[in-house]
Amino acid sequence: MYTGRQVNRETSKHGNKASLYTCVRVYLSTLSLWLLPLTFLALAFFFPLSKILAFTLSPSTLTLENLRNTQHVVLFTFYQATLSTLLTLLLGIPSAILFSRFDFRGKSLLRALTAVPFLLPTVVVAASFNSLFGTHGLLSTFYSFLFPLSSFTLHPSPFILILIAHLFYNTTIVIRIVGAALSNLNPKLEQAARSLGADSLRVWLNVTLPLLRPSILAASLLVFLFDFTSFGVILLLGNSQLSTLETEIYFQAVRQFNLPLAALLSIIQLLCTLAVSILYSKYAIRSTQYASRSTPSRRPKTLKQKLFTTSLIFLLSTFFILPLASLPFRSLTRLEADRGQRSEVQYGFTTDYYKELFINRRGSVFYVPPFQAILNSLTYASATVILSILLGFPAAFALAHPTRLEKILDPLIMLPLGSSAVMLGLGFIITYGKWLASPWLVPFAHTLIALPFVIRALQPAIASIPNRLRQAASTLGASPLEVWKNIDLPILRRATLAAATFAFTISLGEFGATLLISRPEYPTIPVAIERFLSQPGGLNYGQAMAMATILMALTTASILLIEKFRLPNASEF
Amino acid sequence: MLEVKNIFKTYGDNPLLKNISFTVAEGETVCLLGASGSGKSTLLRMIAGLESPDSGFIFFDGLDLASTPPHLRDFGLVFQDYALFPHLNVNDNVAFGLKMRRMGRDEISERVASSLELVNLKGFGGRSVNDLSGGEQQRVALARALAIRPRLLMFDEPLGALDRTLREGLLNELRTILQKTNIPAIYVTHDQEEAFAIADRVLILHGGAIIREGTPADVWANPMSAYVAEFLGLGSVIEGKERGKTKDGMWKVESEFGEFVVGCEHKHSKGEKVHLLVRPFVEESNRWSSSPARAERSDSEDEASRDVSRPEGNNRNTIRGVTSDVVFQQDKFKVTLDNGLYVYLKDAPKVGKKIAVGVKVECLG
């Protein structure tokens, strides 16, 4: 007993030293994991953000006149976002009921279809709406073809167009969030209300709706957030007449060179989105609290149900197919006079818009053949993939085994996700203005936007590898390097591919930041589409459609790839 | 072969292992038996090199293993939940350790085949490990550990996730394989039946120390402490007070269940508190006697006991009580009395009947 105790005392001294040593070693190894990602974030996000703040807080910026100038923009931003959100709820809630309560043929296809716009780049959605409803769009051209003398035009005002585009974009959010809450509702609650004498309307108003309120609120706030920060749709469909905070930042920074005012606008924007995000996360937690057994969906039975489902299915499929189909259709159709053919209009099928992309015309909007934009986009996207994977892997590794450090750093690394792309672009202009001539700023901005997605795609896969697999391998004779090569890497391959495709897709479609920082001679696909659309003439318009179609095809291919690689049960928002 | 010496390990402020020492000889299967949280798995992981002790030594063939990383120890470890590599098929799982040893392809496939044959999984090589049943996965894990021809095999609750019948079958196979290969083995479990079935020697871990060590038969016959007797489920453990010696040198012990006469080699003093083990297996042919009609009328203990046919010789002890539960268990009945004691009997009395049974009572010190 005596010797035992003596040994024990010795050990505890020795033990403390050993555990301190391992503590420091573990701490250092996690810190080294964080070194690259944090340096990148500091340089690409926090430093520019502090620059913007410094700009905003200077007395020459915070003038009464400046504040008055922003007032109109702020009001309009809230106005359009609120209207868009209400419209989205109006379509989204019935659709959520349709998907969660009823079975019908082609249900999963229709559900996937409603989600497609959300995954497409904004420029593609804007171009699609332009191809359908715009002044050169299919609807108005057919109308004036049928009634050439009518003074009435059939294209909605830019404001209506923006609202519809937002509706098109965000309905899927309401369907997902409210639909999930609906199908998780305990069916016994509604049945109990029934048995207590409530008719179906009263059941809906007194039981179902109150139970759904947190999820409807959460969905509304998320939709509002997207509408509030929407950039491409407003810029491309608003005809420069309508301006929200986001587009105004762009106008002030790029067209007026009024960087202080742009900075002020972006800080206002940041505060608004921050407030909405905090509210959203509060309700997002609550929206899941009533979750229980799922209510089974069934085929519509009564006449009323059949009427509801059939009309809604028809409405949804028309609304979601028409713009997406009209874009490629319009890119292959000549509807107006070409250059130098003012009198004679040749209607019909054409591949000219695609062929034209390879030609560098004098006096065109580019210094390079438009096709170069596609090559640029692919180069940027590849660089973004490499950068974001290099930075994302260490961060995801550290986050997969969280300590106190990681709990602090986790929200920090997700912060760029909550800030608008235009603001990130503005930060780059203010901070790294002297390097704007270099095309290499763009992949860094894209990496900043893609990094949170890459980390979120990698982290669950890394966390899902049980430590005992590595231990089993090491007892079987695998050295640490061989463990990494034979266990971690093969299991992570799918997740890495998914993350890489994410980064690739995000880079391809990124518009807001790219528009601010890309050089005129290095356009990307979305920037090229914007430039084509802002120029007059049928050829420019047609090329915009062709470019947008190519981008749509590339993005769709990427989405299908991600779906193939994605882990089952990975969260959606 | 393996020698574990003075191992200490503390987690936070809680000492988990306190001065653990034991050895494993060539071809011997040693079983570490203990309740969950007793540190037995940690001990195993230290031997494997996956954790390090605060102090103490682990020798193999006289060599200190402290600076040998796990992948160079040549020890096979079979995990409770198998830890099969989900991205590899059965063959590649079993071949993993051989590939790490840079063996030739022919030798690998030969060894994989023989390992799979040893665990009765011939022809399973191409299957995905995710499609296998629990028992089959366990066999693959065993084949994987066997394939590297380890110097020592370790099992961490290997049958814990399997159902009872499967467990018994696998246990028998495992014993055969261990005998056939003659690899020294350490087997960690909390299940005493499993431990007794497979071990040459049993180590019982409690409170961070090995409190009993011996062959299964020895441990079963002489638990030597209340904890061991209770943990192994050897019978009812009761408290009593020494009441002096009988003429033939036995101790009289008084307890709330009556007075018992026990022979033991401990040194006791009068009035000392002791623990007794009431073995549930009835001596002789499991006879019990009920109180006759006369006794029911007077309801006196003395009268009831007068009719009990006391077994002869060493076993002079009788427990009494009203039966509160009778459970059929294959070849016997487990009969629980209203005072909490239980015995196994060949034929069962009815519930609510007052009985007296002759039992064997041992002193635990």
Side-chain angles (χ1 to χ4, degrees), chain A residues 322-386:
Chain A
L322 226 50
L324 295 177
S326 96
L327 176 64
F329 181 74
R330 185 65 182 81
S331 74
L332 289 167
T333 328
R334 192 199 309 275
L335 288 176
E336 50 204 301
D338 265 352
R339 207 184 290 260
Q341 293 177 304
R342 266 162 218 273
S343 51
E344 222 175 296
V345 179
Q346 290 177 315
Y347 297 103
F349 176 78
T350 177
T351 54
D352 283 357
Y353 301 138
Y354 288 92
K355 284 181 196 148
E356 197 66 33
L357 294 179
F358 295 92
I359 300 167
N360 188 13
R361 280 194 192 277
R362 238 151 50 108
S364 83
V365 288
F366 294 100
Y367 304 101
V368 290
F371 179 70
Q372 189 63 40
I374 298 174
L375 293 183
N376 286 341
S377 267
L378 292 176
T379 313
Y380 286 151
S382 310
T384 305
V385 167
I386 295 169

Side-chain angles (χ1 to χ4, degrees), chain A residues 140-267:
Chain A
S140 73
T141 332
F142 275 126
Y143 185 77
S144 54
F145 177 70
L146 290 174
F147 309 101
L149 296 175
S150 163
S151 60
F152 179 77
T153 52
L154 192 104
H155 57 84
S157 75
F159 183 60
I160 302 288
L161 216 52
I162 288 171
L163 292 186
I164 301 177
H166 281 166
L167 176 67
F168 181 70
Y169 225 98
N170 293 326
T171 303
T172 182
I173 297 177
V174 181
I175 294 178
R176 293 287 161 116
I177 296 183
V178 179
L182 253 176
S183 44
N184 282 336
L185 221 56
N186 190 346
K188 297 235 166 74
L189 294 178
E190 290 183 2
Q191 290 159 8
R194 267 288 153 92
S195 71
L196 290 168
D199 59 29
S200 53
L201 183 69
R202 284 173 127 191
V203 168
W204 175 252
L205 287 180
N206 293 317
V207 178
T208 316
L209 211 53
L211 286 174
L212 287 182
R213 197 161 54 197
S215 61
I216 292 178
L217 265 171
S220 311
L221 286 167
L222 198 59
V223 172
F224 185 88
L225 205 61
F226 282 120
D227 292 338
F228 194 86
T229 56
S230 146
F231 176 69
V233 165
I234 310 249
L235 188 75
L236 296 180
L237 296 178
N239 276 353
S240 325
Q241 302 153 23
L242 302 170
S243 186
T244 60
L245 274 169
E246 191 85 352
T247 55
E248 194 64 26
I249 297 170
Y250 166 67
F251 283 134
Q252 290 300 336
V254 172
R255 304 236 169 118
Q256 313 282 332
F257 294 108
N258 189 349
L259 290 182
L261 187 58
L264 175 66
L265 285 165
S266 65
I267 290 297

Side-chain angles (χ1 to χ4, degrees), chain A residues 311-333:
Chain A
S311 54
L312 198 55
I313 292 168
F314 179 74
L315 179 72
L316 283 176
S317 34
T318 322
F319 182 57
F320 281 96
I321 289 175
L322 226 50
L324 295 177
S326 96
L327 176 64
F329 181 74
R330 185 65 182 81
S331 74
L332 289 167
T333 328

Side-chain angles (χ1 to χ4, degrees), chain A residues 458-507:
Chain A
L458 291 176
Q459 184 191 335
I462 293 171
S464 76
I465 301 177
N467 221 6
R468 54 193 174 71
L469 283 192
R470 302 193 184 99
Q471 293 174 346
S474 86
T475 58
L476 288 167
S479 68
L481 188 72
E482 282 169 325
V483 171
W484 161 253
K485 210 177 85 191
N486 289 294
I487 307 300
D488 292 87
L489 211 58
I491 295 180
L492 287 182
R493 196 173 289 145
R494 285 166 63 99
T496 312
L497 279 173
T501 322
F502 254 125
F504 194 80
T505 318
I506 288 167
S507 171

Side-chain angles (χ1 to χ4, degrees), chain B residues 294-304 354:
Chain B
R294 209 159 23 102
E296 267 170 50
R297 241 183 290 126
S298 63
D299 207 24
S300 112
E301 285 290 328
D302 287 334
E303 272 182 286
K354 198 166 183 181

